[in-house]
Amino acid sequence: MTPEEFIERWRHNERTERAASQQHFLELCEMLEVPRPGDAGYPSDDYEFERNVLKLGGSTGRADVWKRNCFA
């Protein structure tokens, strides 16, 4: 998928973040030719969607995508 195809595909998306976020991220990975959550070589707890995380201040939340030792 080219950057132009990716932009055109998502430009007029009307789905909610919750409904489209994982598909959007997977297609972004495809376009950038980088590994995706669930690909071989990454244990499931090292790179995954909807990871429970500890937020600043001590409360908990969820990260849309979480990859060990990475920040986005």
Side-chain angles (χ1 to χ4, degrees):
M1 177 180 302
T2 67
E4 293 78 15
E5 290 169 331
F6 180 84
I7 292 166
E8 186 58 32
R9 175 162 169 70
W10 289 98
R11 178 186 310 265
H12 301 291
N13 175 59
E14 295 183 7
R15 296 166 62 196
T16 65
E17 176 187 357
R18 186 177 181 114
S21 63
Q22 290 183 13
Q23 181 180 0
H24 182 269
F25 189 80
L26 292 171
E27 291 180 12
L28 179 63
C29 290
E30 177 186 339
M31 181 193 68
L32 296 172
E33 298 179 354
V34 298
R36 303 169 302 173
D39 281 354
Y42 289 98
S44 63
D45 62 344
D46 278 357
Y47 190 22
E48 62 187 350
F49 291 112
E50 298 299 326
R51 172 78 173 219
N52 289 324
V53 295
L54 184 62
K55 296 173 18 177
L56 293 176
S59 63
T60 59
R62 295 183 81 72
D64 291 339
V65 181
W66 185 89
K67 186 175 180 184
R68 187 176 306 280
N69 298 319
C70 291
F71 176 80

